[in-house]
Amino acid sequence: MQANGNSKGMVSDINVTPLVDVMLVLLIIFMVTAPMMTQGVDVKLPESSAPAIASDDERLVVTVTMDRKIFINDNVVELGELESKLAAITENRQDRKGVFLRADEQIPYGYVMQVMGLIRQAGIDQIGMVTESAKEPANHQKGRGKI
């Protein structure tokens, strides 16, 4: 040991710069890949000019595709099992608010009503119909329509 108190022994400080660098790289990787990992059911929704309803609650989504496959969120369900599965899911939920129903615009109205009936038989009273907002045609000019 030197007389002035400086020693060349081990330093007990941890260098956190490599740790921060690795964590930032991982954060960027997860931010980029997270949107790619979400999978959904491809449905062409009918258009509507009604305004969107704001909802803070996370509700179940029942989807009916063009080939009449039924999904609860992203899980395929047979038509005969829909009522029992929805009843089992909502049995343990405190809110039991309701579900959103998404149906392809090519599905016959009667089939959609059959699915809605099964949802109501499962004890769910609030059913929200999901639509896409209507888009104005490109050649539409305001004030120049025929009467």
Side-chain angles (χ1 to χ4, degrees):
M1 183 173 264
Q2 295 177 351
N4 61 4
N6 292 337
S7 65
K8 297 286 183 180
M10 288 193 187
V11 178
S12 64
D13 293 337
I14 298 174
N15 188 3
V16 295
T17 304
L19 175 67
V20 171
D21 290 344
V22 169
M23 294 304 289
L24 285 174
V25 169
L26 287 174
L27 177 67
I28 291 171
I29 289 172
F30 285 128
M31 286 173 53
V32 170
T33 58
M36 294 178 208
M37 295 178 71
T38 59
Q39 296 177 354
V41 181
D42 191 24
V43 175
K44 185 170 187 231
L45 297 172
E47 294 180 353
S48 171
S49 60
I53 299 172
S55 175
D56 295 332
D57 301 330
E58 183 177 331
R59 294 190 182 184
L60 290 173
V61 178
V62 176
T63 305
V64 182
T65 61
M66 189 168 58
D67 53 352
R68 295 189 180 198
K69 287 185 181 175
I70 300 173
F71 292 82
I72 298 177
N73 289 343
D74 292 330
N75 303 314
V76 179
V77 177
E78 296 295 324
L79 182 64
E81 300 174 342
L82 179 63
E83 179 186 349
S84 61
K85 293 222 179 196
L86 282 174
I89 291 170
T90 58
E91 179 180 348
N92 296 328
R93 292 181 68 180
Q94 298 295 333
D95 52 0
R96 294 187 74 155
K97 297 268 182 171
V99 300
F100 290 123
L101 178 60
R102 298 174 53 206
D104 194 280
E105 66 181 358
Q106 300 297 319
I107 294 293
Y109 182 74
Y111 191 75
V112 175
M113 290 297 103
Q114 182 180 4
V115 171
M116 285 181 69
L118 292 173
I119 293 171
R120 290 189 55 91
Q121 288 175 4
I124 299 170
D125 294 329
Q126 296 178 0
I127 302 172
M129 299 294 292
V130 179
T131 60
E132 285 187 5
S133 59
K135 300 173 186 123
E136 281 192 31
N139 59 1
H140 177 71
Q141 295 178 359
K142 221 173 201 178
R144 295 198 168 213
K146 290 185 179 181
I147 299 179

